[in-house]
Amino acid sequence: MDVPEAVIVKSSRLKSVVWNDFDRIKKGDTFVAVCRHCKKKLSGSSTSGTSHLRNHLIRCQRRSNHGMSQFISSREKKKEATLAITNYVDQGQKKDDVLNLVNIRFDPEQVKDETNNTLNYNFDQRRSRFDLARMIILHGYPLGMVEHVGFRVFVKNLHPLFELVSCNRVESDCLEIYVKEKQKVNELLDKLPGKISLSANMWTATDHLESSYLCLTAHYIDESWQLNKKVLNFMFVDPSHTEDLHSDAIMTCLMDWDIDRKLFSMTFDCSSNSDYISLRIRDRLSQNRFLYCNGQLFDVSCAIDLLNLMAQDALEALCDILPKIRDSIQCIKQSREVQAKFNEMAEQVKVQSQKGLSVDNPSQWNSTYAMLGAAIEYREAFSLLQESDVGYSACPTEEEWGRTCVITGFLKFFFEVTNILTKTNFPTSNIFFPELCDVHLQLMEWSKNSDDYVKALAFKMRTKFEEYWDKCGLALAVSAMLDPRFKMKLVEYYYPQIYGAVAVQRIDDVVNCVKALYNEHSICSPLASIDQGLAWQVGSSSSGKDARDRLMGFDKFLHESSQSEGSKSDLDKYLEEPLFPRNVDFNVLNWWKVHTPRYPILSMMARNVLGIPMSKVASDCAFKSGRRVVDREWSSLKPATIQALVCSQDWIRSELES
């Protein structure tokens, strides 16, 4: 202490909590307050008050590392907040409005005793900054919120030591989080026991409908036999690019994640462009011998997308009737008098419906189906209203009501199937076969309708379905075979109804595919060999290829000869044993988890097949038409930032849910 003749004064009058961190020293006729943490000297005169001492403690770094007490009074908090916001009143808010915000925030009565409370903690600026960035990612907040006046006031009062960040700073923090989270996902994918299936979804921007984004999502069954998915890429797609460039961009993503040799299948929407893209990717992977069964199960179309397209066909067939039904509902809703009159007519014709009449949301076909279902039940009341009200002329004719009833029946069927297939966000592929077989049979029945108008609609929908079935039917059947409640019996039940005289040949096609797929798993196909895959990717001599082919043939010979000598394979044992009882709570993945020791090879095959995403549509989007939309605040950012935010949000959310 370089204060000569200094005397530490201990007085009962020093009752402020601030003196717990200061020594009051008398030097001559004056008093000095010396900080016990950093030894800085400030005025200790009684006329100086203690506000300057409190302000020093807020900024004292040595004290913050040791442990800081909550001592800022309501008056001083108010002063700090008022000072903090004066720099932001130029952002369109009046100074008086912001000061009113401070007055509301700090009620002296609510915090009058806070000076007696203490809280020890270590403040970490970097950690707090990244917590803020993770919060923005997790909840989809706009990056610009960090520059909002209200947010800055809140943070400044919450912790005055936190250094407020700019929009650019938080964007950089989000990108850094993305890099770290991506590394974790990379390590997870590398350690997976099975293969990976991908789905591809197109998104659009809120304010830029011409802007498109391709979302690639990985689907896999982990070591605990849980079906999972992770968004891998969310990349901007130039509308002027050809399908060749799109397929090249997807292949670049696969190689960037190093999963091209681990790919099992890929799911796109139902379109000719998607067919071409998937075909090019399949050909490239097949050249390197990365795909099972020469890629027979690789190319998958989204089943829910197919159902949506057929539902839209049905609604298009009602394009002249739908406006009449909407106008009719709006007519009775226009006034209480009309509504009361309509209700009387409904009672007169003994309408028993509990459904309410409301106009649909055209972007969600399930709401249109609900509107039609309710309107049909009130059809006689609408007819009476038209007879008594000359101002109402929108009532459909009897023929139109008849067609509406038939087509609403189509929508009801699609609605029920869609609900079954989307009741979980993680549907395994085995549940799709019986439902889509029922769709196939129903379309065949509708095609026999005596009304040419309805028959033409059924033919249009059936054409779409059969294109889908030709591509995906085999994968659906193999998936059903791996459900121990059905095995091959479900295929044997439905195929004669669908194929008639050629059913036996079709069943044999499924059996042969199952056997080939099993054999490739049992002899460790090239897909499972990273070293062999790399050799083929880099390129080897023709003699190397011939030797490899000969060894593959030898492995197959050993496998087949061992079967002929009397030992039963996993597949034989599985198919010969009785079916597992059907019950409501059955979980196919739990069954395979328990029976993996009994069927070690077949369980490898089940892990890969049951993880195929037969649908890429989330449950909350099952009935929506059009693409998913990027949030307005995020869509204005750079493409690299959008990808970082969307991917990181998916990874962080899945980590919290696990």
Side-chain angles (χ1 to χ4, degrees):
M1 186 75 62
D2 58 355
V3 182
E5 299 178 3
V7 178
I8 297 179
V9 178
K10 294 183 179 181
S11 172
S12 59
R13 297 176 60 190
L14 303 177
K15 295 183 178 181
S16 174
V17 70
V18 76
W19 292 110
N20 292 335
D21 298 275
F22 285 91
D23 289 321
R24 192 170 186 242
I25 299 172
K26 185 175 182 180
K27 179 184 176 186
D29 295 329
T30 62
F31 291 86
V32 177
V34 180
C35 177
R36 294 180 180 178
H37 306 286
C38 67
K39 306 306 179 186
K40 184 172 182 177
K41 306 178 198 62
L42 297 95
S43 172
S45 172
S46 59
T47 60
S48 300
T50 58
S51 295
H52 65 299
L53 303 181
R54 297 177 192 277
N55 291 336
H56 168 74
L57 288 177
I58 293 172
R59 298 170 178 80
C60 181
Q61 292 299 320
R62 292 191 181 183
R63 181 177 183 276
S64 65
N65 292 333
H66 174 69
M68 192 163 124
S69 302
Q70 283 296 100
F71 57 83
I72 304 177
S73 68
S74 61
R75 180 183 299 173
E76 288 161 346
K77 279 189 175 180
K78 187 172 177 180
K79 181 190 287 186
E80 284 280 334
T82 304
L83 192 60
I85 63 174
T86 51
N87 296 324
Y88 305 105
V89 294
D90 60 341
Q91 298 186 17
Q93 297 193 37
K94 296 180 180 179
K95 185 173 181 180
D96 289 344
D97 293 340
V98 182
L99 291 177
N100 288 336
L101 172 65
V102 178
N103 288 328
I104 293 171
R105 171 64 181 83
F106 298 112
D107 182 359
E109 292 300 320
Q110 293 179 350
V111 294
K112 63 183 179 180
D113 296 327
E114 67 180 346
T115 55
N116 297 323
N117 299 327
T118 60
L119 175 66
N120 293 326
Y121 67 97
N122 291 321
F123 175 70
D124 188 328
Q125 168 70 20
R126 178 177 171 81
R127 177 178 176 179
S128 298
R129 208 179 72 215
F130 278 95
D131 284 344
L132 171 61
R134 288 176 72 89
M135 178 192 74
I136 288 173
I137 293 171
L138 179 62
H139 299 291
Y141 295 146
L143 300 188
M145 69 170 286
V146 297
E147 296 181 350
H148 294 173
V149 174
F151 176 78
R152 286 182 171 257
V153 170
F154 169 74
V155 171
K156 194 66 178 176
N157 291 315
L158 184 67
H159 202 304
L161 287 181
F162 181 77
E163 296 177 10
L164 296 168
V165 296
S166 65
C167 185
N168 290 336
R169 175 71 265 178
V170 79
E171 181 179 1
S172 298
D173 291 342
C174 289
L175 291 171
E176 188 172 337
I177 289 172
Y178 165 71
V179 171
K180 292 180 179 178
E181 294 294 328
K182 182 178 179 180
Q183 180 60 32
K184 289 160 62 175
V185 175
N186 240 325
E187 294 171 359
L188 182 149
L189 297 179
D190 187 57
K191 296 175 182 177
L192 287 177
K195 304 305 174 187
I196 298 169
S197 291
L198 285 186
S199 64
N201 248 335
M202 294 302 296
W203 290 50
T204 189
T206 306
D207 297 328
H208 309 281
L209 297 179
E210 70 281 358
S211 298
S212 298
Y213 297 87
L214 177 63
C215 180
L216 291 180
T217 304
H219 304 254
Y220 57 90
I221 296 175
D222 62 21
E223 66 281 353
S224 301
W225 284 91
Q226 297 294 318
L227 183 58
N228 293 278
K229 57 184 177 182
K230 300 252 184 222
V231 174
L232 300 185
N233 292 91
F234 196 86
M235 52 187 175
F236 175 76
V237 176
D238 192 325
S240 65
H241 285 178
T242 64
E243 288 84 359
D244 289 343
L245 292 175
H246 290 172
S247 61
D248 290 341
I250 293 173
M251 282 300 304
T252 300
C253 292
L254 298 181
M255 290 184 285
D256 175 55
W257 284 96
D258 196 23
I259 59 172
D260 50 328
R261 63 182 56 81
K262 298 191 70 171
L263 207 58
F264 188 80
S265 72
M266 195 159 186
T267 303
F268 289 87
D269 55 22
C270 298
S271 70
S272 56
N273 290 343
S274 297
D275 289 344
Y276 181 78
I277 293 171
S278 62
L279 180 63
R280 287 198 79 242
I281 296 173
R282 186 183 72 181
D283 289 345
R284 289 187 61 176
L285 295 174
S286 296
Q287 289 173 5
N288 294 332
R289 304 293 182 90
F290 287 161
L291 297 178
Y292 283 111
C293 294
N294 296 319
Q296 279 184 288
L297 307 181
F298 176 77
D299 190 6
V300 178
S301 292
C302 176
I304 302 301
D305 188 42
L306 171 70
L307 292 170
N308 278 334
L309 289 174
M310 292 192 294
Q312 294 303 323
D313 286 341
L315 293 176
E316 186 180 336
L318 294 175
C319 61
D320 294 330
I321 305 174
L322 281 172
K324 293 184 178 182
I325 293 176
R326 291 183 181 119
D327 289 345
S328 297
I329 295 173
Q330 288 172 341
C331 176
I332 65 171
K333 298 286 186 181
Q334 66 183 349
S335 69
R336 292 182 179 179
E337 290 77 14
V338 176
Q339 179 75 65
K341 184 178 180 181
F342 182 80
N343 290 341
E344 290 177 5
M345 293 177 175
E347 291 181 7
Q348 183 179 340
V349 296
K350 298 181 180 180
V351 174
Q352 302 296 325
S353 176
Q354 300 297 317
K355 298 177 182 177
L357 287 169
S358 60
V359 178
D360 66 325
N361 175 2
S363 66
Q364 301 228 140
W365 70 261
N366 59 326
S367 75
T368 306
Y369 157 66
M371 178 188 74
L372 292 173
I376 287 170
E377 297 194 22
Y378 286 92
R379 58 187 289 186
E380 293 184 29
F382 280 119
S383 298
L384 283 179
L385 181 64
Q386 182 164 260
E387 292 174 5
S388 62
D389 188 342
V390 294
Y392 169 59
S393 59
C395 184
T397 65
E398 282 301 311
E399 182 182 14
E400 289 174 332
W401 277 121
R403 287 179 176 174
T404 301
C405 290
V406 173
I407 294 174
T408 301
F410 293 2
L411 293 174
K412 180 178 185 292
F413 181 72
F414 294 146
F415 175 78
E416 291 170 348
V417 173
T418 301
N419 276 335
I420 291 172
L421 298 180
T422 59
K423 62 183 177 182
T424 171
N425 279 326
F426 296 93
T428 48
S429 59
N430 60 299
I431 71 170
F432 287 80
F433 180 78
E435 300 302 327
L436 293 175
C437 282
D438 285 339
V439 172
H440 201 160
L441 294 173
Q442 193 65 66
L443 288 168
M444 293 167 64
E445 187 66 27
W446 291 341
S447 299
K448 301 174 185 176
N449 194 289
S450 58
D451 186 338
D452 290 339
Y453 185 83
V454 175
K455 185 185 294 185
L457 170 61
F459 178 79
K460 183 179 181 180
M461 294 189 294
R462 185 176 174 181
T463 301
K464 279 188 174 68
F465 184 88
E466 288 180 347
E467 288 177 1
Y468 168 86
W469 188 259
D470 289 342
K471 182 197 295 186
C472 306
L474 188 59
L476 290 166
V478 173
S479 300
M481 186 280 299
L482 290 166
D483 188 327
R485 299 170 298 172
F486 305 114
K487 301 183 181 180
M488 283 299 297
K489 296 300 180 182
L490 208 56
V491 177
E492 293 167 359
Y493 168 73
Y494 276 111
Y495 271 27
Q497 300 178 64
I498 295 172
Y499 293 112
V502 298
V504 174
Q505 180 183 342
R506 296 291 188 175
I507 293 172
D508 287 342
D509 291 341
V510 176
V511 172
N512 291 334
C513 179
V514 168
K515 289 180 178 179
L517 190 59
Y518 175 82
N519 288 339
E520 288 191 31
H521 279 83
S522 66
I523 62 175
C524 297
S525 73
L527 259 177
S529 173
I530 294 178
D531 292 336
Q532 290 178 342
L534 283 172
W536 277 87
Q537 189 177 27
V538 173
S540 56
S541 65
S542 59
S543 60
K545 292 181 181 179
D546 293 341
R548 182 172 178 276
D549 286 344
R550 286 197 299 272
L551 289 175
M552 285 179 62
F554 177 70
D555 289 337
K556 187 176 181 181
F557 165 76
L558 286 179
H559 173 71
E560 292 175 348
S561 61
S562 67
Q563 300 302 312
S564 63
E565 292 171 3
S567 60
K568 288 187 177 180
S569 68
D570 288 4
L571 180 60
D572 292 333
K573 290 188 291 185
Y574 172 76
L575 293 176
E576 290 175 3
E577 290 174 355
L579 299 180
F580 190 80
R582 299 206 310 274
N583 59 71
V584 176
D585 298 326
F586 178 76
N587 185 311
V588 69
L589 297 184
N590 283 346
W591 191 93
W592 280 106
K593 179 180 180 180
V594 171
H595 290 82
T596 294
R598 178 162 179 77
Y599 310 110
I601 297 173
L602 193 60
S603 65
M604 293 168 53
M605 176 173 150
R607 189 193 297 272
N608 294 332
V609 174
L610 295 175
I612 297 175
M614 293 297 178
S615 167
K616 60 184 181 59
V617 178
S619 301
D620 58 343
C621 300
F623 300 99
K624 288 183 179 178
S625 60
R627 298 174 176 178
R628 296 187 68 178
V629 179
V630 184
D631 180 80
R632 177 180 287 102
E633 297 290 347
W634 283 9
S635 62
S636 61
L637 301 170
K638 293 177 288 188
T641 303
I642 297 175
Q643 173 168 262
L645 293 172
V646 173
C647 292
S648 299
Q649 183 184 73
D650 177 76
W651 301 337
I652 293 171
R653 284 181 176 177
S654 61
E655 186 177 349
L656 292 174
E657 293 169 0
S658 61

